[in-house]
Amino acid sequence: MESKNFNKWNLFEVPDHHGVQNTGGRIGAALGPKAFRKHFDRINGVFDPNTHLKFKKSIFPITSDVKANHKLVIDELKQINHEKEISLVVGGGHAHGYSHLKGVCDSLKGKTVGCLNIDAHLDMRGCCDNIKSGSPFFLALSDQTISGENLVEFGIQTHCNQKSLFEFADQHKVKTVMFSELRGGRAVDRFKTEIESLSKKVDFIVLSLDLDAVEADSCHCVSAP
């Protein structure tokens, strides 16, 4: 891609792992943005994405109140994210899969937004005030931030999810692509198929990547490898 054709983009850092802590998982996701910057700032190729970085912000202050942290992220994304720009959100735990999605949807009122989540888990655990890292898409579907028909769960593994979570996904007509369907080098082609299919139904797509989906040997320090 030539530099002149690359859109301006925004970077949001969310140093928060309290959703993981509420789940009883291994904390550390709050350090994710710092680790990302360490490697990203070393990029030194012919094409430098830093030259197109329009806005960069680390969300602050982060407290133990996940709902309040969500509001901070939602409000920032709502103000900064625009139709012809790209917003990249790094960190913290996947509890913020909800705030990322909600913030983008709120910034694009009147537009239809879809989401493809690359994950081993459905992340549809029910929750109340004690928001957990496994609840982002339960929240997004429950408050109608996104329609289930516009959500694709990609790479889901059977042993990582209770039967009730699959039932919740089916109830909301969520497209679930199992990891077992992607073996034998079929992942890339299937990903392309799902993105193209989703793009025909929506105006914008949010990609969500949970590091739980990465093989444990390459990313062994996540809460649920």
Side-chain angles (χ1 to χ4, degrees):
M1 181 183 295
E2 294 183 12
S3 176
K4 65 182 180 180
N5 294 326
F6 193 85
N7 287 341
K8 295 292 184 180
W9 66 290
N10 307 307
L11 174 62
F12 294 86
E13 301 171 343
V14 186
D16 183 15
H17 56 214
H18 288 96
V20 176
Q21 196 167 39
N22 288 344
T23 309
R26 176 168 46 185
I27 61 174
L31 300 176
K34 181 179 179 180
F36 173 83
R37 278 201 315 275
K38 176 182 176 181
H39 294 281
F40 181 79
D41 290 344
R42 294 171 61 186
I43 293 177
N44 192 27
V46 174
F47 172 66
D48 182 3
N50 280 290
T51 62
H52 297 270
L53 181 57
K54 180 180 178 182
F55 180 87
K56 175 181 175 181
K57 183 166 186 178
S58 183
I59 304 300
F60 180 83
I62 295 294
T63 71
S64 59
D65 186 343
V66 179
K67 186 176 290 187
N69 297 340
H70 275 181
K71 187 176 187 308
L72 285 173
V73 176
I74 291 167
D75 289 347
E76 288 289 349
L77 276 169
K78 184 177 179 179
Q79 291 181 40
I80 302 301
N81 187 72
H82 300 292
E83 291 186 20
K84 296 185 178 180
E85 295 177 353
I86 297 170
S87 291
L88 175 64
V89 185
V90 180
H94 208 217
H96 282 283
Y98 169 72
S99 61
H100 304 170
L101 183 56
K102 175 70 172 171
V104 170
C105 288
D106 284 358
S107 75
L108 298 172
K109 287 296 186 183
K111 304 291 184 179
T112 304
V113 178
C115 177
L116 189 150
N117 176 46
I118 304 171
D119 207 332
H121 308 91
L122 288 164
D123 279 359
M124 293 182 180
R125 293 182 186 176
C127 66
C128 297
D129 292 331
N130 189 27
I131 296 173
K132 300 177 174 63
S133 59
S135 61
F137 300 108
F138 170 84
L139 294 171
L141 292 169
S142 296
D143 70 3
Q144 299 182 331
T145 291
I146 189 172
S147 166
E149 295 178 348
N150 295 330
L151 173 60
V152 179
E153 294 273 25
F154 192 87
I156 303 303
Q157 299 187 37
T158 306
H159 70 281
C160 295
N161 299 275
Q162 296 175 339
K163 181 180 178 182
S164 60
L165 301 182
F166 285 106
E167 291 173 345
F168 183 82
D170 289 342
Q171 175 188 344
H172 288 272
K173 300 181 180 179
V174 174
K175 178 68 174 292
T176 302
V177 180
M178 302 302 298
F179 179 73
S180 58
E181 301 174 47
L182 307 176
R183 294 182 181 276
R186 289 174 287 182
V188 174
D189 287 341
R190 185 61 183 274
F191 180 84
K192 181 180 178 182
T193 297
E194 296 301 334
I195 282 289
E196 290 177 344
S197 177
L198 187 57
S199 68
K200 293 175 182 178
K201 299 192 295 180
V202 301
D203 300 310
F204 296 91
I205 295 176
V206 172
L207 287 179
S208 180
L209 170 63
D210 192 334
L211 290 182
D212 293 351
V214 179
E215 60 180 354
D217 187 50
S218 299
C219 195
H220 53 273
C221 291
V222 296
S223 179

